[in-house]
Amino acid sequence: MNAEAQKRAASMRALEFIQPGMRLGLGTGSTAKHFVELLGERVRAGLDIVAVPTSEATRADAMRYGIPLTTLDETPALDLTVDGADEIAPDLSLIKGGGGALLREKIVAAASARMIVIADQSKWVDTLGQFPLPIEVTPFGYAATLRAVEAAITSVQPGGPLTLRKSKNGNEVAGHPFVTDGGHWIIDAALGRIEDPKALAQALSAVAGVMEHGLFVGLATIVIISGPDGTRLVERT
């Protein structure tokens, strides 16, 4: 199986957890996109659910597939969120935000009783950090925030290059800062290894100007990993 087939296989396994009447969070990214499409097929076949999307891109996909949508203002408590990840450690801590939706993804995950993460085998790692850690910041006072982010990281572990993410396509001008759905910018921190995700998460959360970071610690309850040898399920202990 190639990576896309693995993502789809993980998405299909996640559908087994969906029950009629559930209030769902719908993730963002290439793997979550497969899940949304497959969920839409179930909805058209009669499955009664309602969902909160974690990005405008996912909202558009869900509407195209006929999935009934709500908001966290209307439905503040969700049963389950299904989302992807950029990296998954054995304790089910995650790096997310490669697609730029980390703030909404974390809000939706935190509002859910459970979070299922779906991924292909390449996302499973021994230690987080090879994937650059996204840190969402307000544009106001960017230089001061960047300096404070660097200090927060080095208070916990060795630092690494911090890069302002640039827009590549879409409605924004290529080369200008990438802008999230919430109107923020993203710093990508190339740290190599994150030995203590919880400590780093706490340090970054304390920085004024940081809206959110891509360390998801203690949120994922189940991970579904699909690889060449099949699909496996890992639960948080």
Side-chain angles (χ1 to χ4, degrees), residues 110-131:
S112 303
R114 292 187 298 165
M115 179 187 188
I116 292 179
V117 176
I118 50 178
D120 64 90
Q121 185 66 43
S122 69
K123 304 302 191 296
W124 186 266
V125 297
D126 292 331
T127 305
L128 299 179
Q130 282 297 316
F131 189 91

Side-chain angles (χ1 to χ4, degrees), residues 188-201:
D188 289 308
L191 303 177
R193 291 177 65 86
I194 300 174
E195 297 288 355
D196 192 341
K198 185 176 181 180
L200 183 58

Side-chain angles (χ1 to χ4, degrees), residues 50-158:
V50 66
V52 175
T54 56
S55 67
E56 295 306 312
T58 297
R59 177 184 298 279
D61 285 342
M63 292 178 65
R64 183 164 62 252
Y65 296 129
I67 298 172
L69 297 180
T70 184
T71 67
L72 286 181
D73 292 323
E74 299 168 341
T75 312
L78 304 179
D79 299 300
L80 176 66
T81 284
V82 179
D83 204 348
D86 298 300
E87 283 188 343
I88 307 165
D91 66 352
L92 304 196
S93 57
L94 317 170
I95 286 182
K96 288 179 52 56
L102 61 152
L103 175 58
R104 294 190 185 184
E105 287 173 336
K106 191 172 285 188
I107 291 171
V108 170
S112 303
R114 292 187 298 165
M115 179 187 188
I116 292 179
V117 176
I118 50 178
D120 64 90
Q121 185 66 43
S122 69
K123 304 302 191 296
W124 186 266
V125 297
D126 292 331
T127 305
L128 299 179
Q130 282 297 316
F131 189 91
L133 175 64
I135 304 165
E136 187 164 344
V137 300
T138 178
F140 177 81
Y142 169 73
T145 301
L146 180 66
R147 186 168 179 266
V149 164
E150 184 175 21
I153 293 171
T154 56
S155 73
V156 175
Q157 67 165 75

Side-chain angles (χ1 to χ4, degrees), residues 13-66:
R13 180 71 181 275
L15 284 175
E16 298 175 10
F17 292 85
I18 309 304
Q19 301 294 325
M22 273 190 165
R23 300 156 298 176
L24 303 176
L26 300 181
T28 295
S30 60
T31 307
K33 193 177 183 72
H34 284 288
F35 177 78
V36 173
E37 180 183 353
L38 292 167
L39 180 65
E41 293 177 2
R42 296 291 179 91
V43 168
R44 292 193 296 276
L47 178 65
D48 177 27
I49 55 92
V50 66
V52 175
T54 56
S55 67
E56 295 306 312
T58 297
R59 177 184 298 279
D61 285 342
M63 292 178 65
R64 183 164 62 252
Y65 296 129

